[in-house]
Amino acid sequence: MSLSCSSLTVTALVLLLGTNLTWADAPPHQDYCARLQQEIQGKKHGFLAGNVSYYVGGFHASWDLKEHETIGLTHPFCHDLRSRGVGKMQSSGTGHDNTGLGNDFYGWEFYKDTRVLYGSVQIDGEVFRHPVPSKMHWRPDRMICEYDVGGVRLREEKFIAANDAACSVITASGPVTLHFNGHSFFGRHSKTSTARIRYDSEANAIHIVEGGTTKCMPETDRSEHVGPIMYQDMSTVLTASRDFSSSHRFTKGKQGQCEYEFDVPCDRDGVVLVWAMHDEYELALRNAQSVLGVSTTNSIRDARDMMLAKTREMNRQLNEEIPWFRCSEQKFEDIYYFLWSLYLQYYIDVERGWETEPHTQTAVNNFLGMHRYDATFQIPVGSWMRNKSQYAYGNVLTWKNLFRAGHYRKSPDGKIALADNKGTAWHSGVYGNELSEHVLGAWQIYQHSGDIEFLRDCYEGYFREVFWERIASFASNHFEVAEALIGMARATGHFEDVEHWQSLVSNDDKDIRAWFDGRWQANGHQNFFAGPKNGMMMTNGFWHTRAKHFPREYALAMTRSWATDRDKGFYGALFPLAMSRQAMKTFATKVDHSFGYTPDTAYFTLSGMFRQRLGDTAWRLTLNHLENYNFNADWNVPVAPEAYTRSGDLFGDQYSNFNAGKLLLYLEGLAGLEYSIPDNRLVVHDTMPAGWKWMEFRIPMQIPGEQETRWPVIRFDRSSRGHEITKSIRVTDCPLRITIQPWSEGRDVTAASTDPAGVERISTRFPHYSRFTFSHGQSAAHVTLRLTENAEGK
């Protein structure tokens, strides 16, 4: 196993030692970790992320509180994608049913069966068992817990260091003794334990060699087997800055698991606890000791230095890697940066097996790793980041490893499907056809980078072979996918492929229109696209509106008839309902109820409205969704749940990167930003909310051949005076040719002006949008519209 230290290690050292990097017009630096701090005690469990180590503080079954966080380290765990769940067993299946080594349909939430360092506090002989925090704050870089115990105040800061060691720094207002207990891994599916434990006196560390067997489901038929646990033969290290050589105690549990206890004193000078895991004990110990430092007398200072490095790195990513955003409504800024912080925290870089590229993930505590379907929106999100080789390329290319290893399913008509989830040597064996959407995401990354070698890596040996016989359509995207494949062929010098792609998918306007006409109002569903025979009306019909060639009149009719309809349609408090109200009367299983609203359906539905330039409806429904789905008014903080029930209750994962697509609603929806480095163009076609006074974006662009990062500014302003509204869009510091297509809000335009002056206003195929294209070499452009107060609302 190669437990790499991830990009955090190198960057942390650069930040501590100094940097020679230069930035061109970079936005002002902000402490986003402090800004995003939330008080979550009793509301959410704690969550921290390293590269392959994670921490969950306490336990909520979905959003139902089952176990409070307490002092110590309750649930640190290692998840390096060696297994999909609790077991690590070789599949005996054949063909595409052979899921490799490590697939498991059991035990995705194995973290909740860990019990590492549960603390109690002894004061003057009285023991306070597992005290509950009076306050618990979450930040992207750390958790802060405060305890009031027997008249003593304790403060605890927990974080995961750059080397994947989990750390707790504890101080007390008065002298106390801290008792900690835990056991080697043994879960609810475990059958036996072969774990071994010892005390390393030279290192003042407990060393556990994990081992045992567990029930698992490695096969696609979901048959139950017994195999090794995912931690088999890994070393767990537990150490502290205070000596516990005379207080540690080991016992055997009923099933053979290793149980341990130890005591350490704590006062104003504090104590540091560290957990680390690795296949090699020496490396696990080294990682733990590097957090403590070379001298135990300086352990608090050294640990806090490591914590500060983590804070600096998280702030670096949030300041320097993602598009900067501000608007007149701060709530939406907070949602934006909260969702970005989760997207970044989930990045993993295993560097082994089928996991040789860094990529984001959807979750780590219940739905492990990256998923083929979720990648359909996580890939384009990465395209907006500065360092695309670190944060974008791997989201696409990690799937190439699975294809090259021959783990795919091919249907008789030539359609190739990959498994929905994978790790270092396993895949789920559950296949689907969203891979064509990955092509569009990869093409967008190329447009945002101009990196022909990345495009070549995508096309040669991957997309070219996967789609050679058949382009499987995802929400009518096959016309656009064919165009992207033609673009890839030309850009990479495979001109002979162009005719082949043209033969697979027609680019004739009549054929394209016939495709959409043939599915409009299918199976008797009026004003709906691709309605199902069984009547289960899902938002999927709206997803087709994202297609480049989808008829806009169909999008308008479907939106009016179904999106905003409160009786039979999809309108609900958190819009959109995953299933129409009409269908909900028939389809009402427990799963249907639990996933009443989901973030993916919201992204696909709302992004189509922006693609069709539906104006007022698009921004109103988007802000309604963000405000009600991703902001908890009672707690006054952003949230990212996996789902809400039909009745509006929180459900599923609490820190879900399933919400990543919402970031595109800001960038590509509200701001309407598109850019291409190869084509030398930036296009702005906004749908700025009419209730906002202003919004501003700054986009990190890495132009090939330039060392400095360019940060073009796109500023939107709106004001009213009397019966007249003034709206302006200003672009500055842009290295690309600028086109501005302002939305007139369905109002009459009484005057339009540009700076530089004299740029012609040209109509577009979208009502209420006009186009102003500025000359090459102009790094700044400004368009101002004077609008009447009355509006059609389109």
Side-chain angles (χ1 to χ4, degrees):
M1 172 186 176
S2 173
L3 280 176
S4 77
C5 295
S6 85
S7 59
L8 288 177
T9 308
V10 174
T11 309
L13 289 173
V14 170
L15 289 168
L16 288 172
L17 299 176
T19 175
N20 292 319
L21 294 175
T22 57
W23 307 98
D25 302 314
H29 188 279
Q30 181 168 358
D31 186 349
Y32 287 107
C33 289
R35 174 174 176 169
L36 292 172
Q37 180 170 304
Q38 302 181 5
E39 207 294 306
I40 62 171
Q41 174 54 32
K43 304 164 188 172
K44 296 194 282 186
H45 61 70
F47 172 68
L48 297 170
N51 180 33
V52 298
S53 292
Y54 305 90
Y55 182 77
V56 174
F59 172 58
H60 286 64
S62 187
W63 288 75
D64 185 14
L65 175 61
K66 297 295 184 181
E67 172 193 87
H68 284 286
E69 172 67 314
T70 191
I71 198 163
L73 296 168
T74 53
H75 302 295
F77 61 101
C78 177
H79 167 50
D80 64 353
L81 295 171
R82 65 178 59 197
S83 170
R84 193 186 192 209
V86 72
K88 185 183 177 185
M89 191 173 181
Q90 179 66 51
S91 169
S92 61
T94 59
H96 57 255
D97 286 326
N98 188 319
T99 60
L101 174 63
N103 183 52
D104 190 1
F105 292 102
Y106 252 162
W108 293 354
E109 297 180 317
F110 68 81
Y111 81 91
K112 64 189 178 185
D113 290 329
T114 62
R115 188 179 180 90
V116 179
L117 289 174
Y118 278 62
S120 299
V121 182
Q122 181 176 327
I123 304 173
D124 297 330
E126 183 178 0
V127 176
F128 298 85
R129 180 176 171 81
H130 307 328
V132 175
S134 54
K135 293 180 180 179
M136 181 164 68
H137 297 279
W138 174 90
R139 300 163 35 133
D141 60 328
R142 72 185 78 165
M143 287 168 51
I144 304 166
C145 297
E146 299 176 7
Y147 307 86
D148 294 300
V149 183
V152 177
R153 174 158 291 185
L154 295 96
R155 177 182 172 87
E156 181 180 30
E157 293 175 293
K158 311 184 190 197
F159 68 98
I160 296 179
N163 63 7
D164 272 325
C167 178
S168 170
V169 179
I170 307 169
T171 57
S173 62
V176 301
T177 299
L178 302 178
H179 301 282
F180 294 101
N181 68 76
H183 59 71
S184 60
F185 182 81
F186 195 87
R188 64 202 62 202
H189 300 299
S190 292
K191 299 291 288 183
T192 63
S193 174
T194 58
R196 308 187 305 275
I197 191 170
R198 70 183 181 95
Y199 175 72
D200 184 336
S201 58
E202 291 186 4
N204 186 43
I206 293 174
H207 174 207
I208 302 167
V209 179
E210 305 282 358
T213 59
T214 181
K215 292 188 290 184
C216 55
M217 288 184 179
E219 311 295 357
T220 55
D221 63 4
R222 305 300 205 272
S223 56
E224 188 176 283
H225 300 261
V226 174
I229 63 170
M230 72 295 178
Y231 281 168
Q232 186 67 37
D233 296 326
M234 290 189 73
S235 285
T236 297
V237 169
L238 303 169
T239 187
S241 60
R242 301 284 187 108
D243 180 75
F244 56 86
S245 58
S246 60
S247 68
H248 68 275
R249 301 170 293 279
F250 300 151
T251 57
K252 280 285 187 181
K254 293 181 180 179
Q255 304 299 325
Q257 65 270 40
C258 299
E259 298 175 340
Y260 49 85
E261 299 177 64
F262 66 87
D263 308 330
V264 290
C266 185
D267 49 28
R268 294 181 184 275
D269 292 334
V271 64
V272 181
L273 305 173
V274 185
W275 164 97
M277 284 193 81
H278 202 284
D279 283 319
E280 299 178 31
Y281 170 64
E282 291 76 13
L283 290 178
L285 181 63
R286 184 191 309 165
N287 289 339
Q289 290 180 326
S290 67
V291 178
L292 293 177
V294 294
S295 171
T296 56
T297 58
N298 296 322
S299 292
I300 291 285
R301 185 192 65 193
D302 292 338
R304 284 184 170 151
D305 283 346
M306 294 284 274
M307 183 167 63
L308 179 59
K310 179 64 174 280
T311 302
R312 287 174 175 166
E313 171 57 14
M314 286 305 306
N315 274 329
R316 186 200 67 79
Q317 293 179 19
L318 291 166
N319 278 281
E320 298 176 9
E321 293 293 347
I322 69 173
W324 184 92
F325 167 65
R326 296 290 188 274
C327 69
S328 56
E329 301 294 329
Q330 184 176 324
K331 176 190 304 181
F332 295 98
E333 293 179 21
D334 293 340
I335 295 169
Y336 176 83
Y337 281 98
F338 178 68
L339 296 182
W340 267 118
S341 75
L342 296 182
Y343 183 86
L344 290 165
Q345 282 183 280
Y346 279 119
Y347 266 82
I348 186 171
D349 191 5
V350 178
E351 299 179 358
R352 182 168 59 90
W354 302 336
E355 290 287 327
T356 53
E357 297 85 10
H359 60 77
T360 191
Q361 303 171 92
T362 295
V364 295
N365 60 322
N366 69 342
F367 208 44
L368 310 179
M370 194 179 197
H371 291 257
R372 182 201 62 243
Y373 169 75
D374 305 6
T376 58
F377 44 84
Q378 291 165 349
I379 288 171
V381 169
S383 77
W384 289 95
M385 299 190 69
R386 184 190 69 85
N387 186 347
K388 293 174 182 57
S389 62
Q390 175 66 30
Y391 297 106
Y393 298 173
N395 293 334
V396 180
L397 293 174
T398 188
W399 300 99
K400 182 177 181 179
N401 299 324
L402 201 59
F403 175 72
R404 292 178 65 183
H407 291 284
Y408 57 85
R409 186 176 66 189
K410 187 173 182 180
S411 60
D413 63 357
K415 187 186 302 179
I416 288 179
L418 295 184
D420 77 325
N421 189 206
K422 71 174 183 66
T424 57
W426 58 268
H427 65 88
S428 66
V430 179
Y431 297 89
N433 295 312
E434 305 92 2
L435 201 60
S436 59
E437 196 73 9
H438 293 202
V439 175
L440 300 181
W443 185 243
Q444 181 162 305
I445 292 171
Y446 169 65
Q447 296 301 316
H448 289 190
S449 66
D451 190 337
I452 196 68
E453 293 309 313
F454 162 72
L455 195 68
R456 191 183 309 280
D457 208 6
C458 292
Y459 186 71
E460 295 176 356
Y462 186 31
F463 290 154
R464 186 177 186 270
E465 281 72 15
V466 168
F467 299 104
W468 191 255
E469 294 184 40
R470 176 81 180 273
I471 297 176
S473 181
F474 175 74
S476 300
N477 71 353
H478 54 295
F479 299 107
E480 197 170 354
V481 170
E483 293 171 5
L485 290 170
I486 290 170
M488 291 181 183
R490 287 175 171 155
T492 57
H494 292 276
F495 300 103
E496 70 279 5
D497 292 351
V498 172
E499 186 176 347
H500 173 75
W501 296 123
Q502 291 172 338
S503 71
L504 280 187
V505 178
S506 173
N507 61 357
D508 183 88
D509 290 342
K510 291 182 180 180
D511 293 338
I512 294 173
R513 182 64 192 227
W515 163 273
F516 291 105
D517 288 347
R519 289 156 180 79
W520 178 243
Q521 302 188 138
N523 297 309
H525 300 293
Q526 292 297 307
N527 292 326
F528 199 77
F529 189 81
K533 292 180 180 180
N534 65 0
M536 185 183 279
M537 301 276 284
M538 308 290 284
T539 60
N540 304 57
F542 282 95
W543 300 7
H544 297 264
T545 64
R546 299 170 61 250
K548 176 180 177 180
H549 302 283
F550 192 87
R552 187 173 186 270
E553 64 270 25
Y554 290 173
L556 279 168
M558 187 158 52
T559 299
R560 289 168 177 164
S561 295
W562 292 94
T564 56
D565 187 284
R566 297 169 184 261
D567 297 321
K568 73 176 190 303
F570 294 89
Y571 191 86
L574 290 78
F575 181 86
L577 285 157
M579 187 183 297
S580 71
R581 293 186 180 276
Q582 176 177 296
M584 284 165 54
K585 298 172 183 177
T586 304
F587 301 95
T589 66
K590 184 177 180 180
V591 172
D592 291 334
H593 178 78
S594 295
F595 292 91
Y597 301 88
T598 62
D600 60 317
T601 58
Y603 162 68
F604 285 124
T605 300
L606 293 167
S607 63
M609 293 181 183
F610 285 115
R611 185 76 184 262
Q612 298 298 326
R613 312 282 177 90
L614 299 190
D616 197 68
T617 301
W619 76 256
R620 287 186 185 278
L621 291 177
T622 295
L623 294 197
N624 176 80
H625 175 82
L626 291 171
E627 186 171 24
N628 291 288
Y629 193 107
N630 291 112
F631 196 87
N632 189 297
D634 294 331
W635 304 340
N636 198 36
V637 297
V639 292
E642 181 183 355
Y644 285 79
T645 66
R646 286 181 177 177
S647 55
D649 296 324
L650 292 156
F651 182 79
D653 185 23
Q654 297 184 348
Y655 299 85
S656 178
N657 199 27
F658 209 23
N659 287 271
K662 298 353 169 19
L663 295 166
L664 301 173
L665 298 180
Y666 284 86
L667 296 161
E668 301 172 9
L670 299 177
L673 300 178
E674 298 178 22
Y675 75 92
S676 170
I677 289 176
D679 295 339
N680 186 35
R681 60 177 171 81
L682 169 74
V683 180
V684 183
H685 50 81
D686 76 292
T687 311
M688 178 181 173
W692 288 8
K693 296 179 180 178
W694 60 274
M695 64 181 184
E696 184 175 314
F697 294 82
R698 303 184 187 186
I699 309 301
M701 291 185 185
Q702 204 72 45
I703 305 298
E706 295 186 7
Q707 290 187 335
E708 294 184 338
T709 298
R710 306 291 290 272
W711 289 87
V713 178
I714 303 94
R715 169 85 182 195
F716 306 81
D717 286 283
R718 186 184 188 279
S719 61
S720 59
R721 184 177 181 180
H723 297 290
E724 186 178 68
I725 293 169
T726 301
K727 180 175 180 178
S728 73
I729 301 176
R730 183 189 300 271
V731 179
T732 56
D733 300 322
C734 182
L736 308 175
R737 189 180 188 188
I738 303 166
T739 295
I740 298 176
Q741 299 179 11
W743 175 48
S744 66
E745 303 179 6
R747 306 173 190 275
D748 293 331
V749 179
T750 60
S753 61
T754 65
D755 183 13
V759 178
E760 183 182 2
R761 177 188 173 198
I762 300 174
S763 298
T764 72
R765 70 183 183 91
F766 296 105
H768 314 297
Y769 283 87
S770 50
R771 182 173 71 249
F772 301 83
T773 300
F774 293 80
S775 299
H776 289 283
Q778 292 181 339
S779 62
H782 186 195
V783 173
T784 301
L785 299 184
R786 309 287 183 189
L787 309 173
T788 58
E789 191 174 53
N790 64 301
E792 300 174 36
K794 294 181 182 178

